[in-house]
């Protein structure tokens, strides 16, 4: 059966970085709800207009909106191995996901929790840069972009929004840890290690 893997962890823990590598090297489809929403904002679609303010304030967008997006996406991915990065982020989203997957004859296979202290997250997010052409994630100190690659900073990677996003994570998303622990699906990786070490830990879980 096609694998369904969930990445949970605070913003800046390295979820996108690892998901991009698993997509490149192992053929997983990387579904980042943050990327989907930012693209909608950039294009100025109806969805984009609805979610822009939430994202800029570091708040979660309403469950119903994001659940509908994932529902459509999952239908297109029959038979494919997927990584959900940034979804679910609330218990309501997790319950809706279980139901959607069941209807498609799938289930959550493993949940990987990226464990990392808040101070490290702030450093990672302040230095994060994105190549807008490819969506690839870089860091000014830990993973600088190659010469010639023009990068941008995300609007929500400003210190005051970063703090808000961390608070939202601890209040609204951290309860998912217990939700998946009870289902025996939770695997913890030490996300403060180097990208290669984190990648190895993840492969140990999913292969
Ligand atoms: P998330 O998707 O969890 O928000 P990202 O993958 O975007 O996090 O990573 C946040 C920042 O930290 C990026 O600038 C990225 O290059 C950098 N980064 C990711 N993993 C590591 C790591 N293991 N060590 C150091 N820096 C990292
Ligand atoms: P990310 O790229 O995962 O850091 O997400 C960026 C922003 O998109 C978040 O701060 C939220 O505003 C929004 N977002 C992404 N995924 C979700 C989700 N599953 N539920 C609610 N809001 C989300």
């Amino acid at each position: 059966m096609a694998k369904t893997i969930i990445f949970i962890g605070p913003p800046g823990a390295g979820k996108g970085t690892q998901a991009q590598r698993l997509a490149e090297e192992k053929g997983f489809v990387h579904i980042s709800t943050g990327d989907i929403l930012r693209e909608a904002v950039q294009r100025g679609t109806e969805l984009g207009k609805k979610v822009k303010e939430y994202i800029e304030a570091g708040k979660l967008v309403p469950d119903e909106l994001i659940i509908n997006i994932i529902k459509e996406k999952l239908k297109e991915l029959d038979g494919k191995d997927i990584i959900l990065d940034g979804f679910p982020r609330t218990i309501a989203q997790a319950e809706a996901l279980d139901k959607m997957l069941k209807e498609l004859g799938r289930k959550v296979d493993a949940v990987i929790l990226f464990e990392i202290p808040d101070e490290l997250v702030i450093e990672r997010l302040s230095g994060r840069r994105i190549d807008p052409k490819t969506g690839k994630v870089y860091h000014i100190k830990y993973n600088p972009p190659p010469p010639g690659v023009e990068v941008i900073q995300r609007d929500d990677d400003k210190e005051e929004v970063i703090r808000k996003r961390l608070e939202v994570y601890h209040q609204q998303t951290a309860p998912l840890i217990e939700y998946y622990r009870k289902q025996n699906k939770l695997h913890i990786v030490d996300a403060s290690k180097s990208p290669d070490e984190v990648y190895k830990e993840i492969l140990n879980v999913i292969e």
Side-chain angles (χ1 to χ4, degrees), residues 36-45 48-49 51-52 55:
I36 294 170
L37 297 174
R38 275 185 295 279
E39 199 190 318
V41 172
Q42 218 182 6
R43 289 211 202 148
T45 63
K49 285 179 203 151
V51 300
K52 188 169 189 281
I55 296 177

Side-chain angles (χ1 to χ4, degrees), residues 12 45 57-58 65 98 115 121 127 142 148 153 179 181-182 189 194:
T45 63
L65 265 180
D98 284 342
E115 218 170 41
V121 157
Y142 303 120
Q153 189 168 19
Y179 181 86
R181 203 196 303 271
K182 280 190 195 137
V189 304
S194 73

